[in-house]
Amino acid sequence: MQVANTPRQDVRPGSMGRPLPGVPVVLVDPVTGTPSDEEGELCLDLAARPVNLMVGYTDDPARHAEAMAGGYCHTGDVATRDADGYITYVGRTDDVFKASDYKISPFELESVLLEHPAVVEAAIVPAPDPIRLAVPKAFVVLAAGWEPTAATAEAILTYAREHLARFQRVRRIEFADLPKTISGKIRRVELRTLEQQRFAASTPDVPEYRDDALRS
């Protein structure tokens, strides 16, 4: 346990709470490796190693070296911290991407999509784009009674547009089953790879709806 809502502590909606006593949480920029006061990868400072931290990975020196690089224990989770020390989960370091030089957290966008009655499950991945480098694309599993049509796509994209910041706008949507691990976690890496392969092959018949096209 590293971060939690401990007894007698105010609970803030959306936040994981604050670091437990004796747990030296540091937010580290995943690109530069420098500490940040506001957002970064949630790490533990090994110079003040907490007693509840694992010793390391058994019989896996490469993975151990990666996890403990630069004097920090790297969790792979990206988070923000407010002025009162409350930490809010953003996403995994592998999942966060840039669109038009803005950092996009799939977790934030998916949370909004799931508020729409047509959406049962959603996964956001970067779709390669020649102008913006990448744009947010949603793979969506529909609720019963909803059809995978242009009208449904427009309704979902409109809702997302009204509830997200402009730079977070979901630009594309595709209705499909989501690949998952045995434990039920969505394998975004497969969806990212699929989008990259389509872009490289210039696939003309991608079964997706584009926000710009639906609004034109």
Side-chain angles (χ1 to χ4, degrees):
M1 186 69 72
Q2 302 164 7
V3 179
N5 289 295
T6 52
R8 300 181 183 178
Q9 180 176 217
D10 292 336
V11 175
R12 296 193 178 179
S15 172
M16 299 186 293
R18 290 188 282 197
L20 296 181
V23 179
V25 169
V26 181
L27 299 184
V28 177
D29 188 305
V31 177
T32 65
T34 57
S36 169
D37 292 331
E38 298 179 351
E39 180 177 340
E41 181 186 9
L42 197 154
C43 298
L44 302 181
D45 187 352
L46 295 177
R49 190 186 187 98
V51 295
N52 61 345
L53 177 62
M54 67 176 184
V55 175
Y57 288 97
T58 302
D59 299 327
D60 196 339
R63 191 174 184 185
H64 175 84
E66 181 181 3
M68 305 295 180
Y72 298 107
C73 173
H74 298 263
T75 67
D77 292 324
V78 176
T80 61
R81 178 162 46 194
D82 66 17
D84 295 321
Y86 282 84
I87 294 176
T88 300
Y89 178 79
V90 174
R92 295 289 295 171
T93 52
D94 292 341
D95 294 331
V96 175
F97 62 92
K98 280 193 173 185
S100 297
D101 212 34
Y102 288 99
K103 282 186 180 179
I104 301 294
S105 163
F107 179 77
E108 290 183 85
L109 277 61
E110 291 163 3
S111 296
V112 169
L113 291 179
L114 289 171
E115 294 173 357
H116 194 281
V119 180
V120 172
E121 291 183 297
I124 296 287
V125 298
D129 183 85
I131 297 176
R132 299 182 177 91
L133 182 64
V135 295
K137 174 174 177 175
F139 285 84
V140 169
V141 176
L142 290 173
W146 291 82
E147 297 295 328
T149 62
T152 300
E154 184 174 9
I156 297 172
L157 290 171
T158 298
Y159 182 86
R161 191 164 57 247
E162 293 173 348
H163 293 81
L164 289 168
R166 187 178 181 84
F167 73 90
Q168 295 175 311
R169 182 179 299 172
V170 180
R171 301 281 179 172
R172 305 175 190 177
I173 190 169
E174 180 174 337
F175 301 117
D177 292 331
L178 304 180
K180 297 180 180 180
T181 64
I182 295 176
S183 62
K185 292 183 179 179
I186 297 172
R187 287 185 52 80
R188 291 188 187 87
V189 62
E190 289 189 19
L191 300 176
R192 289 198 302 268
T193 301
L194 174 62
E195 287 301 298
Q196 292 167 357
Q197 291 174 342
R198 287 172 170 175
F199 183 75
S202 299
T203 306
D205 298 321
V206 175
E208 67 180 12
Y209 296 95
R210 300 197 175 199
D211 185 51
D212 295 339
L214 290 172
R215 298 171 62 200
S216 62

